[in-house]
Amino acid sequence: ALAPRCGWALPGLEQRLAVPAVLSPASARPYAAAAKTAKKDAKRTRQEKVKEKPPPRRRPLMTKPVDDVYLTWLYRRPSYELEQAMGMLKKFQELDFTHPKQFVYINVFLDMALQKKKKVDPFTGSVTLPYRFTDEVNKVLVFTENAQEAEIAREHGAAVVGGVELIKWILEDEIQADFYVAVPAIIPKLIPLRNKLKRKYPSTRRNSLGSDIPKMLQFFRECHEYTVENENIIKTRIARLDMPTEHIIANLKAVIHDICTFKPSNYDPIVRRLVIRSSTSEGLLLNLDGILPQVEKAEEKEGKNAGDEDQEEPGQESVST
């Protein structure tokens, strides 16, 4: 500190006290780039080792446990015949002292795949069940500008009847219904409602567009609706547990057969797994044999037709002789 005043300085002190020039990070730490590259190489090597490592071999699941207490994840999930599963659900209700009139539900897991990367779009379906299990009646709105058709619609239980004047109220959510049906004459005027109603927009494909108003009203007031959730699952109720077993089975098959119509029959069945349960019970996996509709493959059909022709030929020859 006294060196500047005394006029003397140690050799090289000025150079050591001078402000160093600004250095780039690369020149300040010449080893940084090399360390970073080495780290990347090590990470890449670890990833390659993980890829080369064979996947762990899983023990094959066992079929049937031999004890009353067992680890469920070590065994395949058992599947039951429909009649057997219904007997178990009714037994669960008796043992658990739960409500006897609780709803019966099904969870349907779907195979939506088509050829290449195409697939079935999520859909909403409606079906008339052979045995009704609720007194609820759907609210149906009828679009018509014909006074006579409007009177027929009111007589057959339509909740709301009207023409284009209803468009404004529907767009503003002042009027809502479970289903919307229309006659062909008014459908060009309902285009503003297409984005609002979406799947509920009247169409011939859903049988909600036609001239037979009584028939449409009877179907949609009593029909059962189901919708695909999470891309490939349908969860819906089909009956009450206190109903006769044959009635529950008939309702289940009606819903399953209607679901199967949404995928062409020349592909694999759309229903992949089916689980049935009541409001308070566990889900039981069902055996699909006898539940899915029987569809003849085109090849089998051709073979059968060819066989019939071969059988008919000798008879035709004998007649001609």
Side-chain angles (χ1 to χ4, degrees):
L2 298 177
R5 296 182 183 179
C6 298
W8 61 271
L10 295 175
L13 180 60
E14 294 179 358
Q15 296 179 359
R16 290 196 297 270
L17 294 177
V19 179
V22 179
L23 301 177
S24 64
S27 59
R29 293 190 299 167
Y31 56 87
K36 195 172 182 180
T37 305
K39 190 175 181 180
K40 286 184 179 179
D41 293 341
K43 187 177 180 180
R44 192 181 297 110
T45 304
R46 286 197 299 269
Q47 292 176 349
E48 291 175 355
K49 287 183 178 179
V50 170
K51 290 181 180 179
E52 293 175 357
K53 186 178 180 181
R57 295 183 60 185
R58 295 187 62 183
R59 178 190 300 178
L61 297 178
M62 293 177 281
T63 54
K64 189 175 181 181
V66 295
D67 298 320
D68 295 335
V69 180
Y70 58 92
L71 297 174
T72 56
W73 57 271
L74 288 178
Y75 296 85
R76 296 176 187 170
R77 186 175 182 179
S79 61
Y80 304 94
E81 298 297 329
L82 186 50
E83 293 81 0
Q84 180 186 7
M86 285 309 310
M88 294 173 66
L89 292 183
K90 290 179 179 288
K91 192 67 175 178
F92 293 159
Q93 182 272 321
E94 295 175 1
L95 296 175
D96 295 338
F97 298 98
T98 54
H99 198 276
K101 292 187 177 182
Q102 59 187 288
F103 288 114
V104 177
Y105 296 84
I106 56 172
N107 294 351
V108 189
F109 299 86
L110 306 177
D111 178 10
M112 309 284 276
L114 296 175
Q115 62 181 358
K116 297 182 179 179
K117 294 184 179 180
K118 295 182 180 179
K119 64 178 182 178
V120 180
D121 294 327
F123 54 85
T124 297
S126 303
V127 60
T128 301
L129 298 178
Y131 302 97
R132 288 177 54 81
F133 60 91
T134 177
D135 295 330
E136 299 174 1
V137 178
N138 299 318
K139 184 179 179 181
V140 184
L141 183 149
V142 178
F143 288 107
T144 180
E145 293 181 321
N146 183 292
Q148 186 178 0
E149 291 176 342
E151 185 61 28
I152 293 174
R154 293 188 187 95
E155 291 176 357
H156 286 81
V160 182
V161 182
V164 293
E165 71 276 4
L166 298 178
I167 295 177
K168 176 184 176 183
W169 303 107
I170 295 173
L171 291 175
E172 295 178 356
D173 293 328
E174 295 291 335
I175 294 178
Q176 294 180 347
D178 297 315
F179 296 97
Y180 300 82
V181 302
V183 295
I186 198 176
I187 198 66
K189 302 178 182 179
L190 302 180
I191 294 177
L193 292 176
R194 185 181 292 274
N195 292 333
K196 178 68 176 180
L197 299 182
K198 297 180 180 178
R199 295 177 183 173
K200 293 187 177 182
Y201 187 79
S203 67
T204 53
R205 186 174 180 273
R206 297 196 66 202
N207 299 318
S208 56
L209 176 62
S211 302
D212 194 343
I213 294 177
K215 182 179 179 181
M216 291 190 295
L217 281 171
Q218 181 182 3
F219 174 78
F220 285 105
R221 290 181 78 242
E222 300 179 357
C223 73
H224 177 73
E225 188 179 38
Y226 57 87
T227 304
V228 176
E229 307 172 8
N230 301 326
E231 299 295 331
N232 66 338
I233 301 175
I234 294 175
K235 299 178 181 180
T236 185
R237 58 187 187 181
I238 59 168
R240 291 189 182 272
L241 194 58
D242 64 330
M243 292 172 60
T245 299
E246 56 270 20
H247 292 187
I248 300 176
I249 293 175
N251 283 358
L252 181 145
K253 288 186 176 181
V255 174
I256 295 300
H257 287 204
D258 192 73
I259 292 173
C260 290
T261 61
F262 285 88
K263 187 175 182 180
S265 58
N266 55 332
Y267 291 94
D268 293 334
I270 191 171
V271 177
R272 184 166 50 89
R273 277 197 306 148
L274 178 59
V275 176
I276 190 169
R277 64 176 181 85
S278 66
S279 300
T280 59
S281 75
E282 63 179 288
L284 302 176
L285 181 65
L286 294 178
N287 187 352
L288 295 177
D289 294 339
I291 297 179
L292 300 182
Q294 299 296 324
V295 179
E296 286 190 40
K297 295 183 179 179
E299 297 177 0
E300 295 178 359
K301 208 170 196 179
E302 291 176 1
K304 188 181 290 186
N305 293 338
D308 294 341
E309 292 176 359
D310 293 342
Q311 291 177 0
E312 290 175 359
E313 285 178 1
Q316 293 173 354
E317 290 177 1
S318 59
V319 172
S320 60
T321 54

